[in-house]
Amino acid sequence: MSERRPPTDTDDGTAGESLPDDGTVGERVPDGGMTDGGTTDGGTAHSDRTFVSGEHDADGHAFPSTSEIRRWLVTTNHKDVGILYVVTSLFFLLLGGVLALLIRVQLWAPRAVGETILNPAAYNQAVSAHGLLMVFWFLSPFAFGFANYVVPLQIGAKDLAFPRLNALSYWLYLASGLLFAVSFFQGGTFAGGWTMYAPLNVPTFMPDVGASTAVLALVLFVTSVTVSSVNFITTIHRMRAEGLTLRNLPLFTWTILLTVWMMLFAFAALLAALLILSSDRLLGTTYFALESPGGSLLWTHLFWFFGHPEVYIVFFPALGVMAETFQTFTGRRIVGRKWFIAAMILVALQSFVVWMHHMFLTSINLQIKTLFMVTTIGISLPFDLMVFALIYTMIKGRIRFTTPFLFTFGALLLFIIGGITGVFLGAVVLDYEFRGTYWVVAHFHYVMVGGVTALVGGLYYWFPKMTGRMYDEFLGKLHFGLYFVGFNLLYFPMFVAWQTPRRVFDYAPGLAPWHKLATIGGFVLAASFVVMFYNLTKSAFAGDPAEDNPWAYSTTAEWAIPSPPPLENFPGVPTYRDGTLSFRSDAPQLTAEADGGTAVGSTSSATPPAAYDAAREAHDEPASHASIWPLALSVGMFVLFFGLSGLRGGSFVSGAMGAVYLASSAVGGAVTFGSLLLWALEPFDAPAGGFGEAWPFAGVENGKVGMWVFLASDVVLFGGVIGAYVFTRVAFGWTGWEPIPTDPIPGLLNTYILLTSSFTVVLALVAAEKRSRMGVVASLVATFLLGVGFLVNKGIEWQHLFHEGLWLSTNVRSSTFFLTTGLHAAHVIVGLLITLFLVARAWRGAYLDDSQTVEYFGLYWHFVDIVWLFLFPLFYIL
Amino acid sequence: MVSTKLYTAIYVVLFVSATIQVLVEFAGLAYWTAFAVIIVLSAVKAILVAAYFQHLRFEPRSLTYLVVTGLLAALALTLAASYSIL
């Protein structure tokens, strides 16, 4: 693009550059009719169009324009982050796709070892990396690109609750993906399948450094997901427009809401599993070692407790896209909307009680297998309801076969096949036959890539909104044709050739024709994406300018504002007070204390824009949109984790690479720490919540909700680690297991110390509320000293144990003791670093007017205390 | 909300019950009796800290449900996994 705008112009989206400034399309007739969350009323937005431009300028923060690289490095705006997610996830689709094609080339014919195209170890890596990349680094992030872009628009928020954390989620995601890519070059990446079963996953059987890096990359990815979940949960619950109750929430936002709740708890369990695995690989604990009781079963429990909800985590956003596009392109509100939502909630809950159907061929007892067979068959029922709701919506509406609808309609067909073939696997007896075969491979590709199909539909659906330009409809339909044919040619033969063993490149020669068909299908599917990339890349820069609402009968709020939307989204405060979307032109006064949904100021929709501007200056701090620290922090963590991958049995690998890993750890640690510090010191205005609907967290400010949501995930993290201990001890024989410390008194002493430190944090908050600077400082210093005392006491205890010959790798009893109490100690250390920061700021008089920071820290510190209240009896007494 | 006096009283209760846990261990009760007493004491302490130090008692109940949900998930995993190998 030739035209460049001055850097102060904060217009959003590249396509805006060739559009006339105030948009081209002028007034548009509101679509009316059947709605999600009331009818959108585009007219209101348009009448304020000139004012929309003015709003940008008022925000003159020297925020770089979208044509500058710098913009994309510092942005915290949800729309920018959404675009970054979509583009990056498509990059990982290419990476995972190339690996898939390599697999298909290998499977063209059954080959013995020695005659293969990829060498056997490389094949194992390709299969494992393909699965991990597609599930973690493509599917969910692709969906979260849309979630980032669309959810705040649909709920009427200016941005997510914590914009810098949102940018951090993205950069950690990219860092984790790049770290995974690096793992290929460290002797080979993880090669034990995407399920990473034990004991194959420990260094004894998989010694490459790259395998450790892949595990650490996943840890980093989970960090990103957790941050993201906290952010979205807070945003969707606390930042909905007035009148947009959960009952009226658009279905895409509903699916994202349920997805992030599942993510919060499921990924915490995965984090527990991954931390234990990292500890086994890097520090030398023996949880998953061959000789540990229940070691391999422990992994399957932890992994699948995450893994089954994960199926719905990747599928729900696709379901949301289907629901949105079915409504738009049939011109019909979804049939049985209330029941559709109820069914999704039911699935989200049930998803946590079906995990053992992945373990029917393990040694778990028959009673529990039967129970989980029942829950598994049960979970298919709400899905039936959803499928029929979608089908009836089509029957009752008038279908328009645009590209987005073709994809989501195709997705429905594929999902029906995927779902029905899954019911076979839910039956214990059939699973005895099907497990580990291509039946499973075909089934979950129909489900998961079926989901991708809907998300591709979502990409076409929101492309005009995100870029301000229309894609080429003919190429879109061509893409669909190739895609659908390629998809079925690729995956359907796998059902027929189901006797092929999964993850193995050799198979019965009689099945070869089916595999040849599948390979051809794979290449057709890949070719279809070439069409898509060509179409979308060309259209993003040279397509026809898109209207604000290119789709007749669309009903959600993102279509009521310009394409692409301005930086702060709405020309005023969105409200559904009257049942339809309109924009109030008075800014509600939001104060930090009383923003619980009641603080909305007086309303007078007739206020002219000029008055609004004045109101805005008086009440509404301009929101911040830029910070470099999310990027810096992610770079630090990338370097740190790369360094840590060189650990083996508690020390760095020998030789020059060992020095590189050591240096990398040190540098990465320093950058991580420095970025966190500068992040904490940076002034940044996040949008406040509670301006509209905030159920069920009305009256609790965003920061506190975020903290509690995070702590709830930490409950599951510690639950997973403590659960691993309990499980291992049960497998060992509960009463035959002696506690590692023979003397409970040092543990009791530490209990006293932690309880006292909790008390001093309480005193700090009391002092802050009484505006006593010395009181705050003294209490926090006492907390710090007590925390140090705790660690010193623990250090002495560990040293004694070490001299008695007990260390992490001695046996599984000592492994569980050191890792669980070590994870707790790590939480204490983090708390102490925060305490130091608080002391320094309290010394300068902070927190006297605003004690929230002290309060939030207290919530964390008390949680760490509570964990110890259970660790102490479990590891010292019982 | 809560007076410093009440905070202090709770702190004393926590301190004492931690001591009792160790005394129970040394009292020579049957293993599972002692187990039950000690775990119940831990749970009571945890509830006290959450209710007063984290002042969940004075917050909207939704925050309590949020934490309880996390706890239930962790317990479901631990108990079902342990049962599966009995």
Side-chain angles (χ1 to χ4, degrees):
Chain A
M1 309 302 293
S2 54
E3 186 193 353
R4 285 290 171 267
R5 292 176 168 203
T8 46
D9 189 318
T10 53
D11 196 355
D12 196 46
T14 48
E17 288 168 27
S18 62
L19 278 171
D21 269 345
D22 293 331
T24 48
V25 286
E27 293 298 322
R28 183 176 48 75
V29 179
D31 294 304
M34 304 123 307
T35 64
D36 261 336
T39 321
T40 60
D41 180 0
T44 316
H46 284 252
S47 62
D48 291 339
R49 182 59 70 76
T50 48
F51 159 62
V52 170
S53 313
E55 190 182 46
H56 302 188
D57 297 330
D59 195 67
H61 262 262
F63 186 46
S65 82
T66 50
S67 57
E68 290 178 65
I69 297 284
R70 206 163 66 83
R71 156 80 164 240
W72 300 98
L73 301 180
V74 301
T75 184
T76 61
N77 186 271
H78 72 97
K79 296 183 290 299
D80 295 348
V81 174
I83 290 171
L84 286 170
Y85 260 108
V86 168
V87 171
T88 310
S89 65
L90 288 173
F91 165 76
F92 284 110
L93 168 69
L94 288 181
L95 195 54
V98 168
L99 291 169
L101 291 180
L102 286 175
I103 296 169
R104 285 318 314 173
V105 168
Q106 174 74 73
L107 292 175
W108 180 256
R111 288 177 239 255
V113 176
E115 301 165 10
T116 54
I117 292 162
L118 295 169
N119 75 46
Y123 182 83
N124 289 344
Q125 288 180 39
V127 168
S128 311
H130 162 73
L132 289 167
L133 282 169
M134 289 300 204
V135 171
F136 291 107
W137 280 282
F138 166 58
L139 245 168
S140 271
F142 188 42
F144 270 75
F146 303 133
N148 264 287
Y149 203 100
V150 175
V151 164
L153 299 179
Q154 287 195 339
I155 65 175
K158 277 189 200 170
D159 205 327
L160 289 172
F162 311 110
R164 284 190 298 180
L165 287 182
N166 193 34
L168 178 68
S169 293
Y170 167 72
W171 290 112
L172 283 179
Y173 155 57
L174 178 62
S176 66
L178 294 179
L179 194 61
F180 190 90
V182 167
S183 71
F184 280 96
F185 304 100
Q186 291 172 295
T189 188
F190 196 88
W194 88 279
T195 51
M196 301 182 285
Y197 283 142
L200 197 57
N201 55 10
V202 297
T204 316
F205 303 103
M206 207 175 292
D208 288 327
V209 171
S212 299
T213 311
V215 174
L216 288 174
L218 272 169
V219 172
L220 208 52
F221 179 82
V222 176
T223 315
S224 154
V225 167
T226 305
V227 172
S228 192
S229 309
V230 170
N231 211 344
F232 273 92
I233 288 173
T234 310
T235 305
I236 300 178
H237 280 296
R238 291 259 319 142
M239 298 176 71
R240 281 171 283 132
E242 185 188 9
L244 196 60
T245 57
L246 285 184
R247 190 179 267 270
N248 291 326
L249 201 61
L251 285 172
F252 179 68
T253 301
W254 249 116
T255 57
I256 296 298
L257 179 63
L258 292 170
T259 302
V260 289
W261 274 113
M262 286 191 284
M263 271 165 49
L264 184 76
F265 296 120
F267 273 87
L270 178 65
L271 186 58
L274 290 170
L275 287 182
I276 295 172
L277 177 58
S278 303
S279 162
D280 269 19
R281 292 195 62 89
L282 307 180
L283 304 177
T285 51
T286 61
Y287 277 85
F288 300 127
L290 201 53
E291 51 279 1
S292 290
S296 60
L297 260 185
L298 170 62
W299 175 265
T300 49
H301 273 300
L302 288 173
F303 182 83
W304 287 115
F305 185 77
F306 145 78
H308 202 83
E310 169 71 357
V311 174
Y312 305 122
I313 287 168
V314 298
F315 190 74
F316 264 36
L319 196 62
V321 175
M322 283 157 78
E324 293 287 354
T325 49
F326 270 62
Q327 294 185 108
T328 297
F329 296 110
T330 60
R332 176 73 170 80
R333 187 181 196 258
I334 196 159
V335 172
R337 186 187 135 92
K338 195 167 40 172
W339 298 104
F340 192 87
I341 293 170
M344 289 196 299
I345 296 172
L346 203 55
V347 167
L349 291 171
Q350 280 180 284
S351 72
F352 285 91
V353 290
V354 296
W355 80 90
M356 283 186 232
H357 70 221
H358 298 272
M359 302 164 62
F360 283 161
L361 266 80
T362 65
S363 59
I364 59 174
N365 61 45
L366 187 59
Q367 292 91 318
I368 201 112
K369 283 182 195 173
T370 313
L371 178 65
F372 275 76
M373 177 168 78
V374 172
T375 57
T376 301
I377 303 299
I379 207 169
S380 64
L381 299 176
F383 271 116
D384 296 340
L385 190 147
M386 292 183 231
V387 166
F388 281 112
L390 290 170
I391 291 172
Y392 277 121
T393 307
M394 286 191 293
I395 293 173
K396 293 209 156 193
R398 281 178 62 186
I399 301 171
R400 285 167 296 141
F401 283 101
T402 56
T403 303
F405 185 78
L406 282 172
F407 272 97
T408 51
F409 177 60
L412 180 64
L413 299 180
L414 300 174
F415 179 67
I416 290 172
I417 297 176
I420 289 174
T421 54
V423 176
F424 289 68
L425 295 168
V428 176
V429 180
L430 291 176
D431 199 48
Y432 279 20
E433 196 66 19
F434 282 134
R435 192 204 170 270
T437 69
Y438 261 57
W439 185 274
V440 181
V441 177
H443 155 67
F444 72 68
H445 279 91
Y446 262 90
V447 173
M448 291 212 177
V449 192
V452 174
T453 312
L455 292 175
V456 171
L459 183 59
Y460 283 103
Y461 185 58
W462 282 305
F463 181 84
K465 182 54 61 186
M466 295 167 92
T467 62
R469 289 178 186 276
M470 217 42 207
Y471 59 84
D472 184 287
E473 186 69 30
F474 169 75
L475 289 178
K477 285 182 173 154
L478 177 67
H479 176 201
F480 174 75
L482 284 172
Y483 181 102
F484 203 71
V485 170
F487 182 109
N488 287 293
L489 208 53
L490 169 57
Y491 299 120
F492 203 82
M494 293 182 188
F495 284 124
V496 186
W498 68 272
Q499 283 160 307
T500 313
R502 183 181 176 186
R503 301 192 182 107
V504 178
F505 50 76
D506 198 10
Y507 55 85
L511 302 172
W514 299 110
H515 281 287
K516 286 187 166 49
L517 266 184
T519 300
I520 293 167
F523 279 89
V524 175
L525 186 63
S528 82
F529 277 101
V530 176
V531 177
M532 181 189 87
F533 280 116
Y534 170 77
N535 185 3
L536 296 191
T537 311
K538 187 161 181 289
S539 304
F541 296 101
D544 296 332
E547 295 172 39
D548 293 359
N549 180 13
W551 315 119
Y553 307 114
S554 65
T555 55
T556 46
E558 73 268 30
W559 304 109
I561 51 175
S563 302
L567 196 61
E568 299 208 336
N569 297 345
F570 301 105
V573 179
T575 173
Y576 291 87
R577 192 175 36 194
D578 308 322
T580 59
L581 174 63
S582 60
F583 299 100
R584 281 205 336 260
S585 49
D586 58 322
Q589 181 166 16
L590 298 174
T591 60
E593 276 78 30
D595 64 346
T598 52
V600 178
S602 65
T603 56
S604 56
S605 305
T607 317
Y612 171 75
D613 249 348
R616 182 190 153 80
E617 272 171 34
H619 296 309
D620 202 7
E621 289 288 313
S624 312
H625 293 288
S627 172
I628 191 67
W629 304 117
L631 170 60
L633 177 57
S634 304
V635 171
M637 292 192 76
F638 173 86
V639 177
L640 172 65
F641 275 50
F642 171 75
L644 294 180
S645 72
L647 280 172
R648 178 63 43 85
S651 51
F652 285 98
V653 294
S654 53
M657 273 318 282
V660 170
Y661 287 130
L662 176 63
S664 180
S665 302
V667 171
V671 174
T672 301
F673 184 73
S675 312
L676 278 171
L677 189 63
L678 291 165
W679 174 314
L681 293 173
E682 182 183 55
F684 191 93
D685 291 307
F691 48 80
E693 304 300 326
W695 188 87
F697 299 119
V700 193
E701 65 275 6
N702 281 1
K704 195 189 278 184
V705 171
M707 184 48 117
W708 274 113
V709 172
F710 165 72
L711 289 179
S713 87
D714 222 12
V715 166
V716 178
L717 170 65
F718 268 111
V721 175
I722 295 172
Y725 157 78
V726 170
F727 179 84
T728 308
R729 186 164 170 175
V730 169
F732 182 92
W734 185 273
T735 46
W737 174 294
E738 290 294 322
I740 284 289
T742 46
D743 182 7
I745 299 307
L748 179 63
L749 198 59
N750 261 352
T751 309
Y752 291 154
I753 292 175
L754 265 199
L755 285 173
T756 311
S757 75
S758 254
F759 185 57
T760 55
V761 171
V762 169
L763 292 183
L765 186 58
V766 171
E769 280 160 4
K770 287 182 179 162
R771 301 184 53 80
S772 157
R773 183 170 75 105
M774 286 321 291
V776 177
V777 173
S779 309
L780 287 174
V781 168
T783 307
F784 180 76
L785 294 177
L786 287 163
V788 171
F790 176 89
L791 291 175
V792 168
N793 188 25
K794 182 171 284 291
I796 294 170
E797 178 195 63
W798 282 20
Q799 206 189 1
H800 277 299
L801 292 172
F802 183 71
H803 286 303
E804 287 171 26
L806 287 169
W807 201 233
L808 290 107
S809 50
T810 311
N811 55 42
V812 76
R813 281 192 309 129
S814 67
S815 289
T816 55
F817 171 76
F818 284 110
L819 183 65
T820 315
T821 58
L823 180 66
H824 177 265
H827 274 69
V828 171
I829 292 169
V830 170
L832 290 183
L833 293 174
I834 300 171
T835 313
L836 269 188
F837 178 80
L838 295 182
V839 167
R841 295 206 56 205
W843 181 256
R844 293 149 143 239
Y847 313 128
L848 298 182
D849 298 315
D850 177 10
S851 57
Q852 280 177 353
T853 313
V854 177
E855 187 189 348
Y856 300 164
F857 167 69
L859 296 180
Y860 171 80
W861 190 257
H862 300 311
F863 167 73
V864 176
D865 188 12
I866 289 176
V867 171
W868 182 259
L869 292 178
F870 287 96
L871 294 191
F872 170 57
L874 283 174
F875 285 92
Y876 287 82
I877 313 181
L878 296 171
Chain B
M1 220 155 58
V2 184
S3 68
T4 313
K5 205 180 278 177
L6 181 60
Y7 282 135
T8 314
I10 288 165
Y11 169 63
V12 171
V13 170
L14 294 171
F15 205 92
V16 170
S17 64
T19 316
I20 294 175
Q21 284 183 312
V22 176
L23 293 179
V24 166
E25 168 66 8
F26 288 143
L29 297 177
Y31 181 85
W32 291 109
T33 313
F35 179 94
V37 172
I38 288 169
I39 290 293
V40 166
L41 277 176
S42 274
V44 169
K45 280 190 291 181
I47 291 169
L48 279 178
V49 173
Y52 291 94
F53 286 6
Q54 294 181 311
H55 37 85
L56 271 180
R57 249 201 86 183
F58 311 103
E59 302 279 7
R61 206 52 69 230
S62 53
L63 289 181
T64 308
Y65 295 145
L66 166 65
V67 180
V68 168
T69 307
L71 193 61
L72 284 180
L75 282 175
L77 171 61
T78 306
L79 297 179
S82 298
Y83 172 76
S84 77
I85 53 167
L86 286 178

